[in-house]
Amino acid sequence: VRNVSCKKNPGLCATSATNMLDVLIRRAADRGLLVSLSHDQLQARNSIYPPSLWYNSIYSEELVIRIWDALIARYKNQWNVFAIDLKNEPSYESSKEPSTWGNSNKSSDWNKAAERMIRRIVAFKGLFFVDGLKYGSDLNNVRQYPIDSGNSSLNNRIIYTPHCYGPIIFDISVFKTVNFPEYLDSQYMQEYGFLTSKGLPVLIGEWGAAHDPGSLGEKWNKWYVEWLRNKCLTNNFYWSLDPNSEYTSGLLEKDWKTPDERKLELLNRVQPHPTKFK
């Protein structure tokens, strides 16, 4: 197990992945932390990016739903398992098989697949997270094709969860323009900022950037925090808690204990009164 002290965590070594997840969820509950289960990848991968589609030749959509059912049955009595992310970042522009969002292709229309899954996973009583396309950020087509399970009770538990990252993650020339980062307002509004004006629930599923003093990342972070506040998008998950994130670092320093106070200041600015659970 990478970066885990087996002496301090005997329950996490020489065991199965599901047993490790059991321990993680229980320990999170002891600390008042909520857990969202996320479908990131179907199989171990060599690439940094998970596959775009929610199924493959080995794991059919039907099998994916059965796996969700098994996990939900396993954790149905865990109060802190409050949401499931149906597919992490279901589209990459460079992918050979990118997911789409529409109503014309059953094999690639991610929105329709999400609707099918939500209708089938009836045993789950929590929230359903639906990521956008293009690394999770693009929910533009929700205007024409909002997620609709056909059941108002289920629809009330659907949350759109865009992802958004600053420089380094997407080290492109536009981050170095004179009007950076203000010009990003129109792009983010087009992709997902419009959702609140339509009364649709939004939670930023991932966001972050390096926060070195004087860097483009720091500039983006400060601007994005104010943008989230102004657009009423303050429900969020920061990426990441641990320090293993190569490009954004984490909320904890490399010792996994010391909090990064500068990062916490950002989060306190976004959401100064977070809900506490127990």
Side-chain angles (χ1 to χ4, degrees), residues 93-104:
E93 294 174 321
S94 59
S95 173
K96 294 180 181 179
E97 296 180 302
S99 295
T100 54
W101 193 295
N103 189 25
S104 61

Side-chain angles (χ1 to χ4, degrees), residues 6-269:
C6 293
K7 290 183 178 180
K8 295 180 180 179
N9 301 277
L12 292 181
C13 298
T15 188
S16 68
T18 48
N19 286 339
M20 288 181 65
L21 191 56
D22 293 344
V23 174
L24 173 65
I25 290 173
R26 288 199 301 270
R27 291 187 182 181
D30 292 341
R31 291 159 175 80
L33 298 175
L34 298 184
V35 172
S36 169
L37 299 176
S38 177
H39 171 192
D40 185 81
Q41 56 181 312
L42 294 162
Q43 298 164 273
R45 66 181 189 267
N46 295 321
S47 168
I48 187 174
Y49 299 120
S52 289
L53 298 175
W54 59 95
Y55 67 94
N56 63 17
S57 59
I58 299 174
Y59 289 84
S60 65
E61 181 178 307
E62 179 65 27
L63 180 54
V64 169
I65 291 173
R66 283 162 49 196
I67 292 171
W68 273 125
D69 284 339
L71 286 171
I72 290 164
R74 189 179 187 93
Y75 301 119
K76 64 181 179 181
N77 295 322
Q78 283 291 151
W79 68 268
N80 59 326
V81 178
F82 83 115
I84 59 175
D85 186 351
L86 294 171
K87 177 66 180 79
N88 177 68
E89 300 179 348
S91 181
Y92 292 97
E93 294 174 321
S94 59
S95 173
K96 294 180 181 179
E97 296 180 302
S99 295
T100 54
W101 193 295
N103 189 25
S104 61
N105 191 336
K106 185 177 180 180
S107 64
S108 67
D109 280 345
W110 163 234
N111 57 310
K112 292 300 178 182
E115 291 174 356
R116 292 193 296 272
M117 289 183 187
I118 292 167
R119 285 194 294 267
R120 291 281 305 279
I121 308 174
V122 293
F124 185 60
K125 305 304 180 186
L127 303 177
F128 297 98
F129 288 172
V130 181
D131 293 4
L133 305 182
K134 200 177 73 173
Y135 303 99
S137 66
D138 190 358
L139 287 157
N140 178 49
N141 285 350
V142 172
R143 290 181 170 89
Q144 185 175 2
Y145 301 107
I147 301 295
D148 184 3
S149 69
N151 181 306
S152 59
S153 177
L154 291 175
N155 286 348
N156 287 337
R157 293 191 275 125
I158 295 170
I159 313 294
Y160 294 100
T161 50
H163 297 179
C164 192
Y165 287 100
I168 303 301
I169 291 290
F170 303 121
D171 188 14
I172 52 180
S173 60
V174 291
F175 281 127
K176 301 175 182 179
T177 57
V178 175
N179 61 341
F180 168 82
E182 287 77 11
Y183 79 94
L184 291 170
D185 172 64
S186 59
Q187 176 183 327
Y188 293 168
M189 286 300 296
Q190 179 74 14
E191 291 181 343
Y192 60 88
F194 69 92
L195 291 168
T196 54
S197 65
K198 291 185 173 295
L200 297 173
V202 188
L203 181 152
I204 307 301
E206 295 179 17
W207 73 277
H211 199 50
D212 301 324
S215 67
L216 285 176
E218 181 187 50
K219 189 174 183 180
W220 181 87
N221 276 325
K222 289 181 176 180
W223 176 85
Y224 192 59
V225 162
E226 297 308 315
W227 188 83
L228 292 176
R229 286 166 53 88
N230 291 334
K231 305 303 179 183
C232 297
L233 291 167
T234 54
N235 294 315
N236 72 97
F237 286 126
Y238 186 84
W239 185 271
S240 64
L241 173 64
D242 66 73
N244 282 342
S245 178
E246 179 180 358
Y247 299 112
T248 67
S249 65
L251 299 179
L252 298 177
E253 302 286 0
K254 292 183 179 179
D255 62 3
W256 286 69
K257 294 180 180 180
T258 307
D260 184 330
E261 296 296 342
R262 297 181 74 246
K263 289 283 185 71
L264 293 182
E265 286 178 7
L266 289 174
L267 296 190
N268 287 337
R269 180 66 180 161

